[in-house]
Amino acid sequence: MDMQALGLPQDPDSIRQLATWLMNVADETAPTSVTAREPKEEPRPASIETFSAKPLPDARHIRKILRHRDMRRKFFPDELFGEPAWDMLLDLTAACVENKRVSVTSLCLAAGVPPTTALRWIAMLVERNIFVREADQTDRRRAFVRLSENGMDAVAAYFAKAGAHGHL
């Protein structure tokens, strides 16, 4: 497809903004659709358990936060709000609540930073026992990332505290 002939943007930032906008429109018009932050999530096998001592926040609330964070990019330079770890943490929290698996590739997209940067953050968060990286048993080229029990507990505690004080 010739993007220039269609009058579509060609620079990476504009393309990313257009894709995010389109996914947000799709998300708003179809409540069960998949948002821009989770393009390749898959349902978790029944054998995967998710639990936290505290309840996790509603996935719709998390997705709304993520859409608002994406919207900032339309008005401000990306480097003003670079928080790839937080974006990934929010994305994995929503996926956990929705009982979906998130591929490493999808999580890198959710971070909104270059893949090498996102991969460094994923490795650091795995090392700190906030994320767990799991190989795909059917496709050795792919891996999934999920919140660890420690990660779930920390997210639940944060949202419980932040929600109680109206800071969401």
Side-chain angles (χ1 to χ4, degrees):
M1 175 182 299
D2 185 1
M3 292 181 65
Q4 186 174 15
L6 293 172
L8 296 172
Q10 295 182 27
D11 63 287
D13 289 337
S14 295
I15 292 169
R16 184 168 35 125
Q17 288 176 351
L18 177 61
T20 299
W21 179 81
L22 288 170
M23 293 303 288
N24 286 337
V25 168
D27 187 43
E28 290 169 9
T29 58
T32 59
S33 69
V34 178
T35 69
R37 296 211 161 257
E38 25 138 3
K40 296 190 179 187
E41 291 178 358
E42 297 179 3
R44 289 178 184 242
S47 63
I48 293 181
E49 302 267 335
T50 58
F51 101 99
S52 176
K54 302 169 187 76
L56 291 172
D58 184 274
R60 291 173 296 193
H61 180 67
I62 300 285
R63 297 286 180 210
K64 184 177 180 179
I65 292 170
L66 290 168
R67 282 192 303 274
H68 286 196
R69 292 174 64 76
D70 282 340
M71 188 172 51
R72 289 188 311 200
R73 291 185 178 110
K74 294 177 184 176
F75 303 99
F76 303 100
D78 286 348
E79 59 271 9
L80 292 179
F81 301 108
E83 296 179 290
W86 184 240
D87 288 332
M88 289 187 284
L89 191 67
L90 290 174
D91 191 66
L92 287 180
T93 299
C96 180
V97 172
E98 296 164 341
N99 202 32
K100 294 179 179 176
R101 298 178 83 183
V102 179
S103 68
V104 169
T105 302
S106 178
L107 194 57
C108 287
L109 291 171
V113 294
T116 52
T117 302
L119 290 169
R120 280 194 302 273
W121 278 103
I122 291 169
M124 188 267 298
L125 291 161
V126 166
E127 184 179 308
R128 293 188 181 193
N129 195 26
I130 296 170
F131 291 175
V132 175
R133 185 179 173 135
E134 301 168 326
D136 184 339
Q137 298 303 313
T138 60
D139 184 348
R140 295 287 181 202
R141 296 169 295 173
R142 184 167 65 170
F144 295 102
V145 181
R146 65 175 173 83
L147 289 175
S148 67
E149 273 187 45
N150 289 340
M152 282 188 272
D153 288 341
V155 167
Y158 168 79
F159 276 95
K161 185 80 167 179
H165 293 88
H167 297 298
L168 297 176

